[in-house]
Amino acid sequence: MSFVPGQPVTAVVQRIEIQKLRQGENLILGFSIGGGIDQDPGQNPFSEDKTDKGIYVTRISPGGPAEVAGLMMGDKIMQVNGWDMTMVTHDQARKKLTKQKEDVVRLLITRKSLEDVVSQSKGQNPRPGCFTYKH
Amino acid sequence: MPNDKYANMEEKLWILEDLNMMYIRQIALSLQDSDIQKKIDHEIRMRDGACKLLAACSQREQALEAAKSLQTCSTRIMAYMSELQRMKEAQVMQSVPRRSSDAGPMEERLPCKGKVAISDLRIPLMWKDTEYFKNKGELHRCAVFCLLQLGGEIFDTDMVIVDRTLTDICFDNTIVFNKAGPGFELRVELYSCCSEDDYSAGSTPRKLASKLSSSLGRSAGKKLKAAMEPGPCSPVSNGGASPLLLPVPSVPGPKYHLLAHTSLSLSHIQDGFRTHDLTISGNEECSYWLPLYGSMCCRLVAQPHCMTQQMMSGYLKVKQCGGDPQSWTKVYADLKGTSLFCYHRQEDVDANVELAFTIGINKETRIRASEKDPQSKVQQICVSNQYGGEEVTHILSAESREDTHRWMEAFWQHFYDMSQWKQCCDNLMKIELPSPRKPAPITPKQGSLYHEMVIESSDDLSCTVSDILARRMQELELRSQLGMSPTWMSMFEENNTKPAAFPRQCPSRLSGHSPCSPHRPPRSPASPPRCPRLGLLSSDASLTSDSDSHCSTSPCSHHRGWPDPSSNLSLVSTSPFGLRPRTLSLDAKLSTLRGRGYGGGGGGAAFQCPCQPPSSSLLAPLPISSRSPRSQRGMQTTLSCSSSTSSNSSSNSEGSHSPESSEGVLFSRPSPARRSLRNLRARLDPRNWLQSQV
């Protein structure tokens, strides 16, 4: 999941659609994020590359909308509703996720296990593919 | 040879000065007024001292202060001397036999004196946008102060350094003049002095100086030129009075120039803030120039003595008109302010016992003497007031004719005072004197943290930041100890609504925390009222978990481990995630900060990582509080330690600050101030790896 600045990023991603849950007067997703270009990437326990300043999922509330949708801890969020999350500050990321006017967020996430599966299957299938499957 | 000429000039000046002193002494002697002479002597000594100090100063700040005292002393001397001259003139005039046509009424009624106070001076500046947002180039700074003169009293305010990051020049001093008459003229003068001497002494830090290019920019060159040549802005250090009478000795060093002045008088008095116009002298070319907006805001109030002091008192018999002819009440009456206070006995005045009654004496009151009382042959005084459309008259009767006369005189004087002091006599205006205890100099002149940061190449950045934070904490502590906690601090103290289910553990370390308790000198270990703060300190506590053993040990017992990097997450010494050694020092520093109560608001997210697997798995074993289902999802900020010591609170090690989507907060949604403070602290602390809940 490392990237070379200036070069396009390729990653195996999974689409996850989370329906926000209304709690009181808030719409919540049920997970926590960490990271951002203004944060210290060295403290991210989930990233493989310790210079990766992306947004990662650090916690999933059990039974929450995120868990139901298939989000897992350690996932790196690449896009939220079309907005890029690979080069944003922590606060910008949070804002994109917590827009009160939207009640569903469509995330593009990537995780190590996806890459692994793809590279494994590459051995059987010469063409790498982006495929979605639910855990 | 120029040097000789200057030497000669100086000698001449000194001689003149000595002559002047002798002249002054003679005048003072002849007036037989040694008071002024003592004052002049005192000021001259002060001035000499200031000159010497100025010559000996090495630091710019000291030099500026010394120059300021020099300026003040010179102005005072000038004022005393003019006073002397006036007195001499008056004496001379009196000794000349008056012609009868000149004689006016021998006894002229003089209005009473009073106190005049000016406070909260604020002078707005008007920087050009380009100046204000300029990021490069050295800061053009000026040192400014105000001289306030009323009658013979001259006071100066503290010196303020002004540069383009300030939008107003504020002087916090309250200056009180004690012997002002109603026709007073309060002269306010703003002096400024350019505070950069990059061209002269080598006060620029060497590193910076070496970086500065050798050529002077256009504006810098202009300023230098202006400073070199005497021009329209050349220093005229005496206030325009005769230059030869005690000229100021020229001393090398910073010199203040008059930048603006204004005069205030009775009409400007108001029990509130008012804006006044300033007359600006000097122009853009001067080195001491500041772009003033042209006005000055201040609070000018007066307390005439007739309002604050007792003007007349004595025994009177009072009867209300329209009442029983025989119902005379004997009272001890006290004329003060806008009323005649009537007490039963004289002792009551001091004892603050309730009054018998009060008769209003104000501008609408009418007093006249009525016919003599047939029995006592004493004139009576009738006092009429309008109380809401109705006219109420009281009849006062004094004990003797002299008393009556004195009372009438007092009333006339009182009315005269009120007519002279006009609006000051409507209500008593408050004069707030600064508390004798000076607050510690806390706020740095420039507000931003970045201005304070001095990056030295050899030092660790983390050390610098934590040092700055430590200093800030000290300041906050100091401030809170003096009882002057910033306003947001009060939020912490008020929030006592935390559930009792709170972490105790955290040891002595936490006990030493929070600057939020101003009057609690010895740091006692955590007690319930402190819980709110403990909550806020959560992430900080957890922060130390790396370096500090106790907090981290317990969590280790619940060490669920991460999916991946779980193993080495105990102490920083094992350097999880390849934390570089410098983080260690930062940790150590921060833990000492913690010991001092860092983070009254440090609820920002802490990455509890090493010891706080924040996963839900940890939450499970905890006895969940009643709020539970929610609490599992989204605890905002709670003690990390608590999770380990299995307290009842469903604590979550993550601090977070997504106010929009939070629920199940342990305490009531934090107020914006606290939230922003926490955010600020979290952001400032590079050790934090922020996490937000969405």
Side-chain angles (χ1 to χ4, degrees):
Chain A
M1 297 189 214
S2 57
F3 70 97
V4 175
Q7 299 301 314
V9 175
T10 45
V12 184
V13 292
Q14 176 178 344
R15 264 192 210 133
I16 292 190
E17 185 172 300
I18 309 182
Q19 298 285 338
K20 291 194 188 177
L21 178 67
R22 181 163 288 282
Q23 272 219 351
E25 43 180 61
N26 303 314
L27 283 173
I28 61 148
L29 287 164
F31 65 97
S32 298
I33 54 166
I37 53 177
D38 56 337
Q39 302 294 310
D40 178 7
Q43 299 184 44
N44 187 341
F46 302 106
S47 55
E48 270 215 0
D49 175 9
K50 288 309 163 190
T51 62
D52 183 3
K53 294 187 171 183
I55 306 290
Y56 281 78
V57 176
T58 56
R59 195 184 79 89
I60 308 268
S61 311
E67 189 182 38
V68 164
L71 195 65
M72 299 184 73
M73 197 162 69
D75 289 352
K76 175 177 174 184
I77 304 180
M78 308 293 279
Q79 282 183 15
V80 170
N81 284 344
W83 295 99
D84 170 61
M85 290 281 125
T86 59
M87 215 24 83
V88 290
T89 63
H90 184 92
D91 212 39
Q92 283 168 347
R94 182 186 57 83
K95 283 190 179 144
K96 286 285 182 279
L97 283 163
T98 53
K99 285 199 184 312
Q100 289 295 312
K101 294 232 170 91
E102 301 166 350
D103 50 5
V104 63
V105 292
R106 293 184 180 85
L107 310 178
L108 275 185
I109 58 103
T110 184
R111 61 174 81 98
K112 183 81 174 29
S113 49
L114 285 179
E115 296 263 4
D116 292 343
V117 168
V118 169
S119 53
Q120 271 175 26
S121 63
K122 257 180 15 175
Q124 300 148 16
N125 186 355
R127 199 167 39 99
C130 168
F131 54 105
T132 25
Y133 62 97
K134 295 263 195 204
H135 277 221
Chain B
M1 282 169 282
N3 279 342
D4 273 354
K5 254 208 280 187
Y6 282 134
N8 265 346
M9 274 298 286
E10 278 221 25
E11 269 186 36
K12 288 187 187 156
L13 284 175
W14 282 112
I15 293 176
L16 269 174
E17 192 171 318
D18 283 344
L19 282 176
N20 286 335
M21 274 317 295
M22 273 182 40
Y23 175 60
I24 288 167
R25 293 223 158 86
Q26 288 218 321
I27 296 184
L29 266 178
S30 68
L31 281 174
Q32 283 164 352
D33 182 349
S34 55
D35 196 32
I36 288 221
Q37 192 186 332
K38 278 201 209 107
K39 284 199 249 181
I40 292 188
D41 278 343
H42 174 73
E43 289 303 322
I44 291 187
R45 271 200 300 274
M46 296 270 296
R47 196 183 65 178
D48 287 339
C51 289
K52 289 200 187 86
L53 184 59
L54 200 53
C57 265
S58 54
Q59 296 236 352
R60 186 73 188 171
E61 286 264 334
Q62 279 181 354
L64 286 170
E65 288 281 350
K68 174 172 88 106
S69 2
L70 184 62
Q71 179 70 42
T72 314
C73 291
S74 314
T75 319
R76 283 199 182 122
I77 291 175
M78 216 58 71
Y80 293 147
M81 296 207 324
S82 12
E83 170 111 7
L84 255 187
Q85 289 204 311
R86 251 184 293 123
M87 283 166 64
K88 182 71 180 168
E89 271 180 28
Q91 201 196 42
V92 166
M93 292 298 288
Q94 269 182 7
S95 58
V96 171
R98 273 207 224 162
R99 287 177 297 174
S100 55
S101 56
D102 281 346
M106 286 314 290
E107 265 187 45
E108 257 186 37
R109 203 179 283 282
L110 293 171
C112 67
K113 302 262 181 204
K115 275 205 233 183
V116 171
I118 182 168
S119 61
D120 304 299
L121 274 154
R122 184 171 68 86
I123 300 172
L125 297 168
M126 189 176 61
W127 299 99
K128 293 203 273 264
D129 314 12
T130 45
E131 279 262 0
Y132 196 64
F133 295 110
K134 199 160 43 168
N135 281 327
K136 49 184 166 62
E138 62 247 28
L139 225 45
H140 170 57
R141 309 169 93 192
C142 276
V144 299
F145 73 97
C146 265
L147 259 189
L148 300 121
Q149 180 173 7
L150 192 155
E153 300 176 84
I154 298 182
F155 293 103
D156 59 349
T157 59
D158 293 333
M159 186 184 68
V160 174
I161 306 268
V162 176
D163 56 39
R164 65 167 182 264
T165 63
L166 279 190
T167 54
D168 300 85
I169 308 176
C170 294
F171 296 107
D172 295 327
N173 315 78
T174 307
I175 311 246
V176 180
F177 298 95
N178 284 308
K179 293 190 297 272
F184 69 89
E185 188 188 318
L186 173 58
R187 200 171 144 83
V188 181
E189 291 171 344
L190 181 68
Y191 286 90
S192 86
C193 168
C194 175
S195 165
E196 336 168 275
D197 57 349
D198 298 308
Y199 318 119
S200 46
S203 63
T204 335
R206 247 174 287 123
K207 275 191 195 170
L208 194 55
S210 62
K211 290 189 182 137
L212 284 175
S213 62
S214 52
S215 62
L216 295 172
R218 194 179 72 119
S219 52
K222 254 201 246 171
K223 284 182 199 153
L224 191 52
K225 197 171 104 166
M228 300 288 218
E229 295 169 44
C233 334
S234 64
V236 177
S237 41
N238 47 21
S242 104
L244 288 185
L245 202 59
L246 277 192
V248 180
S250 50
V251 183
K255 250 200 185 60
Y256 282 94
H257 312 282
L258 181 65
L259 182 59
H261 67 95
T262 184
S263 245
L264 301 172
S265 62
L266 188 66
S267 53
H268 295 117
I269 290 190
Q270 188 183 306
D271 197 5
F273 291 92
R274 269 185 76 165
T275 312
H276 312 277
D277 289 326
L278 283 177
T279 318
I280 304 182
S281 34
N283 52 42
E284 265 199 29
E285 303 298 319
C286 303
S287 64
Y288 57 89
W289 169 255
L290 280 175
L292 298 178
Y293 189 73
S295 54
M296 172 185 86
C297 218
C298 69
R299 184 170 176 264
L300 184 66
V301 295
Q303 278 182 352
H305 289 155
C306 62
M307 296 294 286
T308 52
Q309 291 173 0
Q310 202 189 61
M311 301 302 286
M312 175 79 189
S313 57
Y315 281 100
L316 282 178
K317 283 203 284 206
V318 184
K319 178 174 87 157
Q320 185 150 349
C321 197
D324 212 6
Q326 296 311 314
S327 68
W328 288 96
T329 325
K330 178 149 187 204
V331 290
Y332 183 78
D334 193 10
L335 177 61
K336 183 161 99 170
T338 53
S339 329
L340 183 70
F341 298 101
C342 300
Y343 298 90
H344 288 295
R345 302 169 308 157
Q346 183 168 6
E347 298 73 36
D348 289 350
V349 180
D350 298 319
N352 259 342
V353 174
E354 215 184 280
L355 308 153
F357 46 84
T358 314
I359 303 178
I361 309 274
N362 51 41
K363 295 190 189 117
E364 274 93 53
T365 314
R366 280 172 303 124
I367 300 191
R368 58 188 170 81
S370 69
E371 334 69 45
K372 295 196 208 264
D373 189 26
Q375 289 120 6
S376 55
K377 301 251 195 308
V378 170
Q379 273 188 320
Q380 292 173 339
I381 306 172
C382 294
V383 180
S384 312
N385 275 311
Q386 290 270 353
Y387 287 123
E390 263 189 40
E391 184 166 329
V392 180
T393 307
H394 295 271
I395 305 188
L396 313 173
S397 174
E399 284 159 5
S400 64
R401 197 175 304 175
E402 294 79 28
D403 272 353
T404 315
H405 187 68
R406 274 195 288 130
W407 275 102
M408 287 302 291
E409 181 63 30
F411 284 133
W412 290 132
Q413 177 70 34
H414 203 68
F415 281 140
Y416 183 69
D417 290 340
M418 293 207 287
S419 71
Q420 290 296 300
W421 281 100
K422 301 199 184 91
Q423 75 266 31
C424 307
C425 292
D426 290 336
N427 290 304
L428 185 64
M429 297 182 185
K430 263 213 296 207
I431 292 183
E432 275 162 22
L433 288 169
S435 63
R437 198 180 44 177
K438 238 173 136 63
I442 295 172
T443 358
K445 300 276 192 225
Q446 287 155 313
S448 129
L449 183 66
Y450 298 103
H451 286 265
E452 290 184 303
M453 243 200 250
V454 171
I455 313 286
E456 292 167 24
S457 50
S458 54
D459 277 1
D460 221 1
L461 184 59
S462 57
C463 294
T464 321
V465 171
S466 55
D467 282 345
I468 292 177
L469 287 172
R471 235 187 303 134
R472 283 257 162 145
M473 288 323 304
Q474 273 174 330
E475 291 165 359
L476 273 176
E477 260 184 66
L478 251 178
R479 193 190 285 182
S480 61
Q481 274 165 20
L482 292 174
M484 291 184 50
S485 37
T487 42
W488 48 261
M489 287 289 199
S490 54
M491 306 247 188
F492 295 124
E493 301 170 82
E494 282 157 18
N495 184 4
N496 279 324
T497 59
K498 280 290 206 80
F502 239 81
R504 318 24 188 305
Q505 57 352 3
C506 284
S508 46
R509 195 159 24 86
L510 274 185
S511 68
H513 62 285
S514 200
C516 313
S517 46
H519 301 294
R520 209 184 310 222
R523 315 293 187 113
S524 53
S527 50
R530 293 227 178 163
C531 287
R533 286 186 281 282
L534 284 182
L536 294 169
L537 287 175
S538 66
S539 53
D540 308 80
S542 57
L543 274 181
T544 62
S545 56
D546 273 348
S547 51
D548 241 296
S549 47
H550 28 310
C551 209
S552 55
T553 46
S554 27
C556 288
S557 61
H558 289 268
H559 214 49
R560 297 291 146 150
W562 298 97
D564 269 353
S566 50
S567 38
N568 322 336
L569 294 187
S570 46
L571 298 169
V572 82
S573 50
T574 65
S575 195
F577 330 123
L579 283 175
R580 294 180 282 292
R582 74 175 187 180
T583 334
L584 228 144
S585 64
L586 189 56
D587 276 345
K589 287 221 160 66
L590 282 173
S591 58
T592 55
L593 283 185
R594 212 61 36 31
R596 262 168 317 132
Y598 160 70
F607 185 110
Q608 304 320 341
C609 97
C611 321
Q612 298 306 333
S615 63
S616 47
S617 54
L618 186 58
L619 289 182
L622 291 182
I624 305 287
S625 70
S626 54
R627 270 187 259 57
S628 128
R630 304 230 175 147
S631 52
Q632 279 187 26
R633 235 194 285 245
M635 284 305 113
Q636 288 272 0
T637 321
T638 50
L639 272 192
S640 57
C641 303
S642 65
S643 66
S644 50
T645 53
S646 70
S647 90
N648 298 339
S649 67
S650 26
S651 59
N652 182 343
S653 50
E654 293 162 6
S656 91
H657 44 241
S658 52
E660 295 93 54
S661 57
S662 70
E663 37 42 279
V665 191
L666 200 55
F667 43 92
S668 52
R669 166 106 24 114
S671 49
R674 193 191 294 170
R675 231 195 341 249
S676 60
L677 179 72
R678 214 186 311 143
N679 291 355
L680 184 66
R681 289 201 182 280
R683 291 203 154 90
L684 276 181
D685 188 354
R687 179 66 180 81
N688 276 334
W689 190 64
L690 287 176
Q691 294 177 55
S692 298
Q693 187 173 314
V694 298

